[in-house]
Amino acid sequence: MTYYNKKRTGSKVNSAILEYIKEIVPQEDILLDEPMSRHTTFRLGGEAKCLLKIKDKGQLVKLIPYLQITGQDYYILGNGSNLLVGDKGYSGFIVKLDGSMGSASISDRRMTVPAGMLLSKAAAIAREHSLTGMEFASGIPGTVGGGIVMNAGAYGGEMRQIVESVEVMDWKGEILVLDNETMEFGYRTSVIKNRPFIVLETVLKLQTGNRVEIDAKTEELSVRRREKQPLEFPSAGSTFKRPEGYYAGKLIMEAGLRGFSIGGAQVSDKHCGFIVNTGGATAADVRKVIEEVQKRVEEKFGVRLEREIIFLGDF
C-alpha cells in the first residue's frame, strides 16, 4: 500500500549517500538492486536501486529528512498490495516499513498498532483479546499504515470506523498526532494521500465482543473471500475504485472483458474487478490490460474507471 511518494529528478544512489545511510540502517537491511517481485503481491516488477528495511521509527526520523535534503527519490512501502512496479524498476530508494517495527499493545479496548504490521495480524490480535470491530480487515493483504492512508475497507467495514488517532511524521522528521476527524477519511482516501506524512502507528478504538461470535464472523468473511475472489493468483486486490452509482466489476463484465488477457495478465474469470498474474506476467502486461479495460468501459458506458493500483518506476 502507498504512504507517500516524493518525486524529484536527478536521483542516483552513490557511495557517499550509502555510507551515510549505513549510519542509520544496518548493513543487512540495505538491499541493492533488489527485485520488487519479492515485495509486491503481484509478484512482479523490476529492481529497486536500493531497498531499505526500516525496523524502528527513530531510523525514519533521521532517514527521511536526509533523503529530502539530498534530493533523492523515495517511496514508502508497506506490503506492496496495491502497487505495480515497472519492469525497468525504480531508480530511487524503497523505504520499507518492516513488519517487526514495533508490537501491538492493548489498554481499555484501545489497541495501539505499528504501521508496518499486517492488517490481518492486527485483526488476529484483536480477536485473541475478544475485541470486535476489525473483522472486516482480517483478509485485507495490506499493512495497517497503508490501510489508514487509503481508508481500506471490505464487507461494510472501513478503517475510519475504528481509527481513533494516527501518529505521523512529516518530511522534516517532526511527529504529529492526528485525530479521526483531522484524517479526513473518505472512500479509499484520507488526508495523507495528499500530504507529506508517513504513518508511524495508530490507536484503534474497538469494542468488547464475544470470542465465539468474532471467530464466526471472521470465518464467514474468509469463506466469502475464497468463493468470490481469485486468491489462487497473485494480484493487487481490487484494481479499480467503485464508480459512483456503479460497480467496477459489473461494468467490466458487461463490457465483455471477463477473462481478457495480454501475456500473463488477465481480467479474472472469478471476479472481473481483479486483474491477476496467471504466471509469467510482466508489469507492462498488467498495465496494458488496465488501460484497455478503462478504454472499453468508457467507450461502452461513458464511465472512466479510476485505478486503486499505483504505478511506480519505469515500464
Side-chain angles (χ1 to χ4, degrees):
M1 304 258 173
T2 181
Y3 293 57
Y4 173 56
N5 179 18
K6 182 68 174 179
K7 184 66 178 173
R8 296 171 181 262
T9 58
S11 171
K12 297 293 181 182
V13 178
N14 61 46
S15 58
I17 289 173
L18 284 177
E19 285 304 311
Y20 182 86
I21 289 175
K22 287 176 185 177
E23 298 178 11
I24 303 171
V25 181
Q27 177 70 51
E28 63 268 22
D29 294 329
I30 301 174
L31 307 178
L32 301 179
D33 300 323
E34 177 69 3
M36 288 304 293
S37 58
R38 299 174 181 172
H39 303 279
T40 66
T41 56
F42 257 131
R43 298 291 177 256
L44 49 78
E47 295 179 345
K49 185 70 72 174
C50 182
L51 185 145
L52 306 171
K53 291 185 178 180
I54 302 300
K55 298 178 179 177
D56 179 88
K57 64 183 178 182
Q59 294 173 319
L60 282 177
V61 170
K62 297 176 183 177
L63 177 66
I64 297 303
Y66 176 74
L67 295 179
Q68 284 278 351
I69 290 170
T70 55
Q72 306 305 305
D73 290 351
Y74 65 90
Y75 184 86
I76 306 298
L77 180 70
N79 195 43
S81 59
N82 71 335
L83 182 66
L84 181 65
V85 180
D87 299 307
K88 297 178 183 177
Y90 179 62
S91 61
F93 290 87
I94 296 290
V95 181
K96 183 170 183 176
L97 304 192
D98 193 87
S100 63
M101 189 178 165
S103 58
S105 62
I106 296 175
S107 176
D108 189 27
R109 295 175 294 173
R110 286 172 171 81
M111 186 163 74
T112 302
V113 191
M117 180 177 287
L118 289 174
L119 281 165
S120 57
K121 182 176 180 180
I125 293 172
R127 185 170 70 251
E128 289 167 5
H129 288 81
S130 298
L131 294 174
T132 185
M134 204 174 180
E135 293 88 338
F136 74 90
S138 59
I140 297 176
T143 58
V144 170
I148 288 170
V149 172
M150 67 174 296
N151 185 29
Y155 301 109
E158 291 182 308
M159 293 302 292
R160 66 175 160 186
Q161 297 169 354
I162 58 175
V163 168
E164 181 171 85
S165 63
V166 182
E167 183 182 78
V168 301
M169 188 189 81
D170 66 16
W171 69 268
K172 296 178 182 178
E174 296 179 359
I175 295 176
L176 310 169
V177 177
L178 310 180
D179 62 20
N180 186 291
E181 183 177 354
T182 305
M183 284 296 299
E184 298 179 8
F185 287 119
Y187 175 64
R188 300 298 175 264
T189 191
S190 72
V191 69
I192 301 175
K193 291 276 280 189
N194 300 306
R195 296 287 296 276
F197 291 140
I198 297 170
V199 177
L200 299 178
E201 67 179 30
T202 185
V203 176
L204 305 177
K205 187 176 182 180
L206 304 171
Q207 301 299 321
T208 301
N210 180 287
R211 175 62 187 269
V212 174
E213 293 176 357
I214 294 170
D215 287 346
K217 181 65 174 179
T218 301
E219 178 59 22
E220 175 197 342
L221 296 182
S222 178
V223 170
R224 290 172 66 180
R225 284 188 177 93
R226 291 195 299 269
E227 289 177 346
K228 297 183 178 181
Q229 298 180 10
L231 303 181
E232 64 273 26
F233 294 112
S235 77
S238 296
T239 306
F240 303 101
K241 294 181 180 180
R242 185 178 66 246
E244 188 173 353
Y246 301 91
Y247 290 98
K250 190 171 186 291
L251 289 174
I252 295 167
M253 180 181 67
E254 293 180 351
L257 290 165
R258 182 188 293 276
F260 172 78
S261 65
I262 296 176
Q266 181 186 62
V267 175
S268 171
D269 288 318
K270 196 171 188 179
H271 189 315
C272 291
F274 286 65
I275 292 173
V276 298
N277 175 4
T278 61
T282 65
D285 291 338
V286 175
R287 181 168 182 164
K288 288 174 184 176
V289 171
I290 290 173
E291 292 172 348
E292 187 64 21
V293 167
Q294 288 176 313
K295 175 186 173 185
R296 293 202 199 178
V297 168
E298 188 167 18
E299 287 175 347
K300 188 172 181 63
F301 301 107
V303 177
R304 181 66 178 177
L305 295 178
E306 183 180 351
R307 284 185 285 109
E308 281 195 25
I309 294 174
I310 295 159
F311 293 165
L312 179 69
D314 298 321
F315 287 78

